[in-house]
Coordinates of all heavy atoms in Angstrom, one line a residue:
M1 N 2.6 -1.1 0.2 CA 1.3 -1.5 0.7 C 0.4 -1.5 -0.4 O 0.6 -0.9 -1.5 CB 0.9 -0.5 1.8 CG 0.5 0.9 1.3 SD -0.5 1.8 2.5 CE -2.0 0.9 2.5
Q2 N -0.8 -2.0 -0.1 CA -1.8 -2.0 -1.1 C -3.2 -2.0 -0.5 O -3.4 -2.5 0.6 CB -1.7 -3.3 -2.0 CG -1.7 -4.6 -1.4 CD -1.2 -5.7 -2.2 OE1 -0.5 -5.5 -3.2 NE2 -1.6 -6.9 -1.9
K3 N -4.2 -1.4 -1.2 CA -5.5 -1.4 -0.7 C -6.5 -2.0 -1.7 O -6.3 -1.8 -2.9 CB -5.9 0.1 -0.5 CG -5.2 0.7 0.7 CD -5.7 2.3 0.8 CE -5.1 2.9 2.1 NZ -5.5 2.3 3.3
F4 N -7.5 -2.6 -1.2 CA -8.5 -3.1 -2.1 C -9.7 -2.2 -2.0 O -10.1 -1.8 -0.9 CB -8.9 -4.6 -1.8 CG -7.7 -5.4 -2.0 CD1 -6.9 -5.8 -0.9 CD2 -7.4 -5.9 -3.3 CE1 -5.8 -6.7 -1.1 CE2 -6.3 -6.8 -3.5 CZ -5.5 -7.2 -2.4
S5 N -10.4 -2.0 -3.1 CA -11.6 -1.1 -3.1 C -12.6 -1.5 -4.1 O -12.3 -2.0 -5.2 CB -11.2 0.4 -3.3 OG -12.3 1.2 -3.4
C6 N -13.9 -1.3 -3.7 CA -15.0 -1.5 -4.7 C -15.1 -0.2 -5.7 O -14.4 0.8 -5.4 CB -16.3 -1.7 -4.0 SG -16.9 -0.2 -3.1
K7 N -15.9 -0.3 -6.6 CA -16.0 0.9 -7.5 C -16.6 2.1 -6.8 O -16.2 3.2 -7.2 CB -17.0 0.5 -8.6 CG -16.4 -0.5 -9.6 CD -17.4 -0.9 -10.7 CE -16.7 -1.8 -11.7 NZ -17.6 -2.8 -12.2
E8 N -17.4 1.9 -5.8 CA -17.9 3.1 -5.1 C -16.9 3.9 -4.3 O -17.0 5.0 -4.1 CB -19.1 2.6 -4.2 CG -19.9 3.7 -3.6 CD -21.1 3.1 -2.8 OE1 -21.5 2.0 -3.2 OE2 -21.5 3.8 -1.9
H9 N -16.0 3.1 -3.7 CA -15.0 3.7 -2.8 C -13.6 4.0 -3.4 O -12.7 4.3 -2.6 CB -14.9 2.8 -1.6 CG -16.1 2.8 -0.7 ND1 -16.9 1.8 -0.6 CD2 -16.6 3.8 0.1 CE1 -17.9 2.1 0.2 NE2 -17.7 3.3 0.6
I10 N -13.5 3.8 -4.7 CA -12.2 3.9 -5.2 C -11.6 5.4 -5.1 O -10.4 5.5 -4.8 CB -12.1 3.4 -6.8 CG1 -10.7 3.5 -7.3 CG2 -13.1 4.2 -7.6 CD1 -9.7 2.6 -6.5
G11 N -12.5 6.3 -5.3 CA -12.0 7.7 -5.1 C -11.5 8.0 -3.7 O -10.5 8.6 -3.5
Y12 N -12.2 7.4 -2.7 CA -11.8 7.6 -1.3 C -10.6 6.8 -1.1 O -9.7 7.3 -0.4 CB -13.0 7.0 -0.4 CG -12.7 7.2 1.0 CD1 -12.8 8.4 1.6 CD2 -12.4 6.1 1.8 CE1 -12.6 8.5 3.0 CE2 -12.2 6.2 3.2 CZ -12.3 7.4 3.8 OH -12.0 7.6 5.1
A13 N -10.4 5.6 -1.6 CA -9.2 4.8 -1.5 C -8.0 5.6 -2.0 O -6.9 5.5 -1.3 CB -9.4 3.5 -2.1
L14 N -8.1 6.2 -3.1 CA -7.0 6.9 -3.7 C -6.6 8.1 -2.8 O -5.5 8.4 -2.6 CB -7.3 7.4 -5.1 CG -7.5 6.3 -6.2 CD1 -8.1 6.8 -7.5 CD2 -6.2 5.6 -6.5
D15 N -7.6 8.8 -2.3 CA -7.3 10.0 -1.5 C -6.7 9.5 -0.2 O -5.7 10.1 0.3 CB -8.6 10.6 -1.0 CG -9.2 11.5 -2.1 OD1 -8.5 11.8 -3.2 OD2 -10.4 12.0 -2.0
M16 N -7.1 8.4 0.4 CA -6.5 7.9 1.6 C -5.1 7.4 1.4 O -4.2 7.6 2.2 CB -7.3 6.7 2.2 CG -8.7 7.2 2.8 SD -8.6 8.4 4.1 CE -7.7 7.4 5.3
F17 N -4.9 6.8 0.2 CA -3.5 6.3 -0.1 C -2.5 7.5 -0.1 O -1.5 7.4 0.4 CB -3.6 5.6 -1.5 CG -2.3 4.9 -1.8 CD1 -2.1 3.6 -1.4 CD2 -1.3 5.6 -2.3 CE1 -0.9 2.9 -1.7 CE2 0.0 4.9 -2.6 CZ 0.1 3.6 -2.3
V18 N -2.9 8.5 -0.9 CA -2.0 9.7 -1.0 C -1.8 10.3 0.4 O -0.7 10.7 0.7 CB -2.6 10.7 -1.9 CG1 -1.8 12.0 -2.0 CG2 -2.7 10.1 -3.3
A19 N -2.9 10.4 1.2 CA -2.7 11.0 2.5 C -1.8 10.2 3.4 O -1.0 10.7 4.2 CB -4.1 11.2 3.2
E20 N -1.9 8.9 3.3 CA -1.1 8.0 4.2 C 0.3 7.8 3.7 O 1.2 7.7 4.5 CB -1.8 6.7 4.3 CG -3.1 6.8 5.2 CD -3.9 5.4 5.1 OE1 -3.3 4.4 4.6 OE2 -5.0 5.4 5.6
Q21 N 0.4 7.6 2.4 CA 1.7 7.2 1.8 C 2.6 8.4 1.3 O 3.7 8.2 1.0 CB 1.5 6.2 0.7 CG 0.7 4.9 1.1 CD 1.5 4.2 2.2 OE1 2.6 3.9 2.1 NE2 0.8 3.9 3.3
K22 N 1.9 9.5 1.0 CA 2.6 10.6 0.4 C 3.3 10.2 -0.9 O 4.4 10.5 -1.2 CB 3.7 11.2 1.3 CG 3.3 11.4 2.7 CD 2.4 12.7 2.9 CE 2.1 13.0 4.3 NZ 0.7 13.3 4.6
D23 N 2.6 9.3 -1.6 CA 3.1 8.8 -2.8 C 2.0 8.7 -3.9 O 0.9 8.7 -3.5 CB 3.7 7.4 -2.5 CG 4.7 6.9 -3.6 OD1 5.0 7.7 -4.5 OD2 5.1 5.8 -3.5
F24 N 2.5 8.6 -5.1 CA 1.5 8.5 -6.2 C 0.9 7.1 -6.3 O 1.6 6.1 -6.3 CB 2.2 8.9 -7.5 CG 1.2 9.1 -8.6 CD1 0.5 10.3 -8.7 CD2 1.0 8.1 -9.6 CE1 -0.4 10.5 -9.7 CE2 0.1 8.3 -10.6 CZ -0.6 9.5 -10.7
P25 N -0.4 7.0 -6.2 CA -1.1 5.7 -6.2 C -1.2 5.1 -7.6 O -1.4 5.8 -8.6 CB -2.4 5.9 -5.6 CG -2.7 7.4 -6.0 CD -1.4 8.1 -6.1
I26 N -1.0 3.8 -7.8 CA -1.3 3.1 -9.0 C -2.5 2.3 -8.8 O -2.6 1.5 -7.9 CB 0.0 2.3 -9.4 CG1 1.2 3.1 -9.6 CG2 -0.4 1.4 -10.7 CD1 2.5 2.3 -9.8
M27 N -3.5 2.5 -9.7 CA -4.7 1.8 -9.6 C -4.9 0.8 -10.7 O -4.6 1.1 -11.9 CB -5.9 2.9 -9.7 CG -7.3 2.4 -9.6 SD -8.5 3.6 -9.9 CE -9.0 3.2 -11.5
D28 N -5.2 -0.4 -10.3 CA -5.4 -1.5 -11.3 C -6.7 -2.1 -11.1 O -7.1 -2.2 -10.0 CB -4.3 -2.5 -11.2 CG -3.0 -2.1 -11.8 OD1 -3.0 -1.6 -13.0 OD2 -1.9 -2.2 -11.2
E29 N -7.3 -2.6 -12.2 CA -8.5 -3.4 -12.0 C -8.1 -4.8 -11.4 O -7.1 -5.3 -11.8 CB -9.2 -3.6 -13.4 CG -10.1 -2.4 -13.7 CD -11.0 -2.8 -14.9 OE1 -11.6 -3.8 -14.8 OE2 -11.1 -1.9 -15.8
L30 N -8.9 -5.2 -10.5 CA -8.6 -6.5 -9.9 C -9.1 -7.6 -10.8 O -10.3 -7.5 -11.3 CB -9.3 -6.6 -8.5 CG -8.8 -7.4 -7.4 CD1 -7.4 -7.0 -7.1 CD2 -9.7 -7.3 -6.2
P31 N -8.3 -8.6 -11.1 CA -8.8 -9.8 -11.9 C -10.1 -10.4 -11.2 O -10.2 -10.4 -10.0 CB -7.7 -10.8 -11.8 CG -6.5 -10.0 -11.5 CD -6.9 -8.8 -10.6
T32 N -11.0 -10.8 -12.0 CA -12.3 -11.3 -11.5 C -12.1 -12.6 -10.7 O -13.0 -12.9 -9.9 CB -13.3 -11.6 -12.7 OG1 -12.6 -12.4 -13.6 CG2 -13.8 -10.3 -13.3
D33 N -11.0 -13.3 -10.8 CA -10.8 -14.5 -10.0 C -10.2 -14.2 -8.6 O -9.9 -15.1 -7.8 CB -10.0 -15.5 -10.7 CG -8.6 -14.9 -11.1 OD1 -8.4 -13.7 -11.2 OD2 -7.7 -15.8 -11.3
V34 N -9.8 -13.0 -8.4 CA -9.3 -12.5 -7.1 C -10.5 -12.1 -6.2 O -11.3 -11.3 -6.5 CB -8.3 -11.4 -7.2 CG1 -7.8 -10.9 -5.8 CG2 -7.2 -11.8 -8.1
D35 N -10.5 -12.8 -5.0 CA -11.7 -12.6 -4.1 C -11.2 -11.8 -2.9 O -10.9 -12.3 -1.8 CB -12.2 -14.0 -3.7 CG -13.6 -13.9 -3.3 OD1 -14.3 -12.9 -3.7 OD2 -14.1 -14.8 -2.6
E36 N -11.2 -10.4 -3.0 CA -10.9 -9.6 -1.9 C -12.0 -8.7 -1.7 O -12.8 -8.3 -2.6 CB -9.6 -8.7 -2.3 CG -8.4 -9.5 -2.4 CD -7.8 -10.0 -1.1 OE1 -8.2 -9.5 -0.1 OE2 -6.9 -10.8 -1.1
L37 N -12.2 -8.2 -0.4 CA -13.3 -7.3 -0.1 C -12.7 -5.9 0.0 O -11.6 -5.6 0.3 CB -13.9 -7.6 1.2 CG -14.6 -9.0 1.3 CD1 -15.2 -9.3 2.7 CD2 -15.8 -9.1 0.3
C38 N -13.6 -5.0 -0.4 CA -13.4 -3.5 -0.2 C -12.9 -3.2 1.2 O -13.5 -3.8 2.2 CB -14.5 -2.7 -0.6 SG -14.4 -0.9 -0.3
E39 N -12.0 -2.3 1.4 CA -11.6 -2.0 2.8 C -12.6 -1.1 3.5 O -12.5 -0.9 4.7 CB -10.2 -1.3 2.8 CG -9.1 -2.2 2.3 CD -7.7 -1.7 2.8 OE1 -7.6 -0.8 3.6 OE2 -6.7 -2.3 2.3
Y40 N -13.5 -0.5 2.7 CA -14.4 0.5 3.2 C -15.8 0.1 3.3 O -16.7 0.8 3.8 CB -14.2 1.8 2.5 CG -12.8 2.2 2.3 CD1 -12.1 1.9 1.1 CD2 -12.0 2.7 3.3 CE1 -10.8 2.3 0.9 CE2 -10.8 3.0 3.2 CZ -10.1 2.8 2.0 OH -8.7 3.1 1.9
C41 N -16.1 -1.1 2.8 CA -17.5 -1.6 2.9 C -17.4 -3.2 2.8 O -16.3 -3.7 2.8 CB -18.4 -1.0 1.9 SG -18.1 -1.5 0.2
E42 N -18.5 -3.8 2.6 CA -18.6 -5.2 2.5 C -18.6 -5.8 1.1 O -18.8 -7.0 0.9 CB -19.8 -5.8 3.3 CG -19.8 -5.4 4.7 CD -18.7 -6.0 5.5 OE1 -18.6 -7.3 5.5 OE2 -17.9 -5.3 6.2
E43 N -18.5 -4.9 0.2 CA -18.6 -5.3 -1.2 C -17.3 -6.0 -1.7 O -16.2 -5.8 -1.2 CB -18.8 -4.0 -2.1 CG -20.2 -3.4 -1.9 CD -21.3 -4.3 -2.4 OE1 -21.2 -4.8 -3.5 OE2 -22.3 -4.4 -1.6
K44 N -17.5 -6.7 -2.8 CA -16.3 -7.3 -3.4 C -15.4 -6.2 -4.0 O -16.0 -5.3 -4.7 CB -16.8 -8.3 -4.5 CG -15.7 -9.3 -5.0 CD -16.4 -10.3 -5.9 CE -15.3 -11.3 -6.4 NZ -14.1 -10.7 -7.0
A45 N -14.2 -6.3 -3.8 CA -13.3 -5.3 -4.4 C -13.2 -5.4 -5.9 O -13.2 -6.5 -6.5 CB -11.9 -5.4 -3.8
A46 N -13.1 -4.3 -6.6 CA -13.0 -4.2 -8.0 C -11.6 -3.6 -8.4 O -11.1 -3.8 -9.6 CB -14.1 -3.4 -8.6
Y47 N -10.9 -3.0 -7.5 CA -9.7 -2.3 -7.8 C -8.7 -2.6 -6.7 O -9.0 -2.8 -5.5 CB -9.8 -0.8 -8.0 CG -10.8 -0.4 -9.0 CD1 -12.1 0.0 -8.8 CD2 -10.3 -0.4 -10.4 CE1 -12.9 0.4 -9.8 CE2 -11.2 0.0 -11.4 CZ -12.4 0.4 -11.1 OH -13.3 0.8 -12.1
I48 N -7.4 -2.5 -7.1 CA -6.3 -2.6 -6.2 C -5.5 -1.3 -6.4 O -5.2 -0.9 -7.5 CB -5.4 -3.8 -6.3 CG1 -4.3 -3.8 -5.3 CG2 -4.9 -4.0 -7.7 CD1 -3.5 -5.1 -5.2
V49 N -5.2 -0.7 -5.2 CA -4.4 0.6 -5.3 C -3.0 0.3 -4.6 O -3.0 -0.3 -3.5 CB -5.1 1.7 -4.5 CG1 -4.2 3.0 -4.6 CG2 -6.4 2.0 -5.1
S50 N -2.0 0.5 -5.3 CA -0.6 0.2 -4.7 C 0.3 1.3 -5.1 O 0.1 2.1 -6.0 CB -0.2 -1.2 -5.1 OG -0.1 -1.2 -6.5
S51 N 1.5 1.3 -4.5 CA 2.6 2.1 -5.1 C 3.5 1.2 -5.9 O 3.5 0.0 -5.7 CB 3.3 2.8 -3.9 OG 3.7 1.8 -3.0
K52 N 4.4 1.8 -6.7 CA 5.2 0.9 -7.5 C 6.4 0.4 -6.6 O 6.5 -0.5 -6.1 CB 5.8 1.8 -8.7 CG 6.4 3.1 -8.1 CD 6.9 3.8 -9.4 CE 7.5 5.2 -9.0 NZ 6.6 6.1 -8.2
Ligands
LIG1 ZN1 -16.5 -0.2 -0.9

């Protein structure tokens, strides 16, 4: 699974990922041409959190 997050919510996104997945999250910067929204607000996402 993967989560998209803005800069403001990345800490929250990482915490939620660990709580839900019981796995170590991998955080990557989202390429600027990828148009995804943060899962926790209406901002454009800056990071993607996923497991390997
Ligand atoms: Zn956000």
